[in-house]
Amino acid sequence: NGAGVPGAVVKVDAGAFSRTVQGGPSGFFEFEHLVAGSLLLTATAPGMAQTWYPGVELAAGAAALELNPGETRSVELQMLPEAKLEVRIEGAVQEGARLVLRSGDGGDQLHARTLSAGASDAPVLLRGLPPGPAWLELLPAPGSMDSRARSSQLSLQRGGLVRAELGIEPGASLFAHVRRRGGLPLRGARLELFAVDQLDQVLAAARSDGAGRIELHGVSPAEVLVRVSVQPFCEGDPSSVALWWPDARSREAAGTLLLEPGDARELGEFVLAPDGDGDGMDDLWELAWG
């Protein structure tokens, strides 16, 4: 509305260095003796949504401020009243779990907070948020057997408070062995899970160890498709024919796997045939057929 925002904290970031100042009662702030170059400018203030130069609420939309040697620049940031989000978590939270708020438009991270044990005892209040569509993601602590949790779409209101709940439930675990033709274990094979209706997004993944063993924990309950493959590290490295569970070379012939909370599923052995030229066909088949 044109009024100065008192006490705003403004940060200028040039990658190699950053500086922060606090504005005065009228909203005026000043940086002196800056290194010229490409700068990012952001402002936060009590009761206001975080704002990036030239006046956007998402870091993805921020523009660099180009400052030349000896130049004096005047800039103005227009701030909007904050949206607030109160999150209540059902279930035991382990130390190190992360609560991430993402934009409902592009999935950009709006806010992230690392939770302490016992965070489910009281609601978590997120402030300084921009208005608009968003959704929450709860990422388990490293080594946790819990699955990721995701909220439905939220609508954050300027100057308003929205309440949301997230439930923690045990994830599923998958186990498998990957071998070369001949029986030797295959290290570095990648097991990937896909939702049956969204094959362009990997839900979870893990790699085989030196014994060819794959263990994947904390998988969110869902109906999934499983693929095991070897991706070449460098161009020209030998590859292998990908397999879909239980034993198919195409997605259309694959079976689906329904994972329930707390499941521990042994998928058995995957024997990956060599594919030296990376065209998706077994080398022995190519030799046999010329």
Side-chain angles (χ1 to χ4, degrees), residues 177-186 210-212 269-272 274:
H177 273 96
V178 187
R179 301 191 184 280
R180 305 176 188 271
R181 180 180 283 146
L184 291 176
L186 182 56
E269 285 194 352
F270 293 85
V271 179
L272 298 188

Side-chain angles (χ1 to χ4, degrees), residues 256-268:
T256 61
L257 189 64
L258 182 60
L259 299 177
E260 302 285 355
D263 270 355
R265 301 291 295 270
E266 181 65 60
L267 301 182

